[in-house]
Amino acid sequence: MSSTEPTFADRLLGRVKLGGLLSLAAPILAVVFAGLITSIVLLITGDPPLETLGVMVDYGVQPRSMVLALNLASGYYLSALAVAIGFRMNLFNIGVDGQYRLAALIAAAVGGAITLPGPLHVAAIILVAVLVGAGWASIAALLKVRRGVSEVISTIMLNAIATALGSWLLNKDRLAVEVAGSNNIGTKPLGPSGQVPGIPLIPGTPLKVDGLIILAAVMGVLYYVVLNRTRFGFDLRATGRSEPAAVASGVNVKRMVLIAMVLSGAVAGLAGMPNLLGESYSYSLNFPPGLGFIGIAIALLGRNNPVGIAFGALLWAFLDTSSNILQLHEISPEIVQIMQGTIVLSVIIAYELVHRYQISAGQRRVSKELTGGTQVQAEGASA
């Protein structure tokens, strides 16, 4: 054998690097493509694309805007982690939206009704949110395990039920009180012991980053460790890849489905905590909606990887924050929603193309190796 011929280890390392580069290139190309589509839409509407992008970037990098984006990103990140847990199990938890809103409502009501020392008060509120989120998700899990009901259908229906239940509970005859100085209603405000102080992370602005951004970071680390460094995480990923193979290896698939959905709901219950404990201190009619559906988009964008999800959450928060300045320049802020939707669609297409390329490359590689082996055998027989 020639000394210059690459070894098996070299070829394997090359394939791993190529796969990593392709996976990294997919979301970048998707964002670039979304930018091109958005530029075309802006040209059609008579707005200059480069000037619009410049306005968004100038506004988005201001200290105040950066704090607002980080605060948005905390909730987005937790929501996306909840969705990603289900995705890794091949489960589609569409019910994160209902789970986090119901969890935030009940946690806010409990937090406003009790008085505890600071850390215990915050811990109690978070615990209630986790339990409510997990409990609401367990309904869909039991329906799937016991009756084979698709989690997509059940969680969508549970979103509607959670919305109706929340409206019924958020009433002055039940959990709500009037918000002073407005026509709004909300739960009883949390006392100082139930509030998490902000962090003066960005200089140049009096605004502070929500303290629970630390919770989001910790959950990201736990997500990675549990799914990639534990037997439970291996069983979960194996079940998501192939249920028959998981059953053959002794995994209780129904048990894994139940646990994964409950964990997803528990993390979903945390999605509203940065806003509740760090900004609003009450669950009212204007509590941030839609975090669950934004989480689905960000989980897809980050490919269920905690680091990728973090970049996706920051990008989404940056776009949402920057859209606030567009109306002042007589540019429709809905252009940001077009860009976000195009990004998600482009990412899905890009990942699918990369997946197909990797399968095709693998088939060609196997074919080449088999052909090479056949030639060696033929030469040996002729000798």
Side-chain angles (χ1 to χ4, degrees):
M1 178 182 294
S2 172
S3 59
T4 60
E5 183 178 347
T7 65
F8 173 77
D10 292 334
R11 293 196 299 269
L12 180 61
L13 181 60
R15 293 166 194 162
V16 171
K17 288 182 178 179
L18 178 60
L21 289 174
L22 289 173
S23 298
L24 179 63
I28 295 175
L29 291 175
V31 172
V32 172
F33 178 74
L36 291 175
I37 296 297
T38 306
S39 298
I40 293 173
V41 174
L42 284 169
L43 288 173
I44 293 174
T45 58
D47 297 314
L50 293 179
E51 183 178 332
T52 300
L53 179 61
V55 167
M56 292 178 62
V57 171
D58 289 342
Y59 181 78
V61 297
Q62 293 177 11
R64 181 179 182 277
S65 300
M66 293 173 66
V67 171
L68 294 176
L70 284 173
N71 290 343
L72 281 176
S74 299
Y76 290 174
Y77 187 74
L78 289 167
S79 175
L81 282 183
V83 175
I85 292 172
F87 280 170
R88 295 300 294 269
M89 180 69 184
N90 205 23
L91 293 172
F92 294 88
N93 182 9
I94 313 298
V96 169
D97 205 70
Q99 292 155 17
Y100 94 84
R101 285 189 287 115
L102 192 61
L105 171 59
I106 301 300
V110 172
I114 63 175
T115 302
L116 291 171
L120 291 178
H121 198 172
V122 172
I125 294 170
I126 292 176
L127 178 61
V128 170
V130 167
L131 292 177
V132 172
W136 198 250
S138 69
I139 300 174
L142 290 172
L143 287 173
K144 184 175 181 65
V145 170
R146 301 289 187 183
R147 291 291 180 263
V149 178
S150 169
E151 74 279 2
V152 176
I153 297 174
S154 60
T155 51
I156 289 175
M157 294 298 100
L158 285 169
N159 277 342
I161 296 172
T163 299
L165 181 59
S167 298
W168 182 78
L169 290 173
L170 197 62
N171 186 286
K172 287 189 291 185
D173 295 331
R174 299 175 185 88
L175 301 180
V177 296
E178 288 188 7
V179 177
S182 71
N183 294 324
N184 197 3
I185 59 172
T187 57
K188 183 180 177 181
L190 301 176
S193 61
Q195 301 175 9
V196 176
I199 305 173
L201 191 62
I202 306 296
T205 176
L207 295 181
K208 296 181 180 180
V209 176
D210 290 342
L212 285 189
I213 195 173
I214 298 175
L215 174 64
V218 169
M219 293 306 300
V221 173
L222 286 176
Y223 170 87
Y224 175 81
V225 171
V226 171
L227 263 69
N228 297 280
R229 293 292 185 268
T230 66
R231 173 60 187 271
F232 168 78
F234 175 81
D235 290 345
L236 187 146
R237 289 182 287 113
T239 306
R241 292 282 184 96
S242 173
E243 287 191 12
V247 171
S249 64
V251 177
N252 187 329
V253 173
K254 290 187 176 181
R255 177 172 171 270
M256 292 304 299
V257 169
L258 184 63
I259 293 176
M261 282 295 292
V262 170
L263 283 178
S264 179
V267 177
L270 295 174
M273 293 300 100
N275 183 278
L276 176 64
L277 299 178
E279 295 181 38
S280 63
Y281 309 123
S282 173
Y283 186 97
S284 61
L285 295 176
N286 56 5
F287 197 81
L291 293 184
F293 298 110
I294 293 173
I296 295 173
I298 293 174
L300 290 172
L301 181 60
R303 210 177 185 185
N304 304 323
N305 181 285
V307 177
I309 291 173
F311 281 110
L314 289 171
L315 173 62
W316 218 265
F318 168 81
L319 292 173
D320 282 343
T321 303
S322 299
S323 66
N324 297 329
I325 195 63
L326 295 180
Q327 202 162 6
L328 296 178
H329 291 262
E330 298 183 352
I331 301 173
S332 176
E334 284 74 20
I335 195 68
V336 170
Q337 297 177 5
I338 295 175
M339 187 174 187
Q340 290 172 334
T342 309
I343 288 174
V344 175
L345 183 60
S346 302
V347 163
I348 294 173
I349 295 173
Y351 282 146
E352 180 60 25
L353 291 176
V354 169
H355 178 66
R356 291 186 181 185
Y357 172 81
Q358 291 174 337
I359 292 177
S360 177
Q363 291 173 342
R364 290 195 301 270
R365 183 173 64 251
V366 171
S367 177
K368 183 178 179 180
E369 291 175 354
L370 289 176
T371 302
T374 304
Q375 290 176 350
V376 171
Q377 291 177 356
E379 291 173 358
S382 62

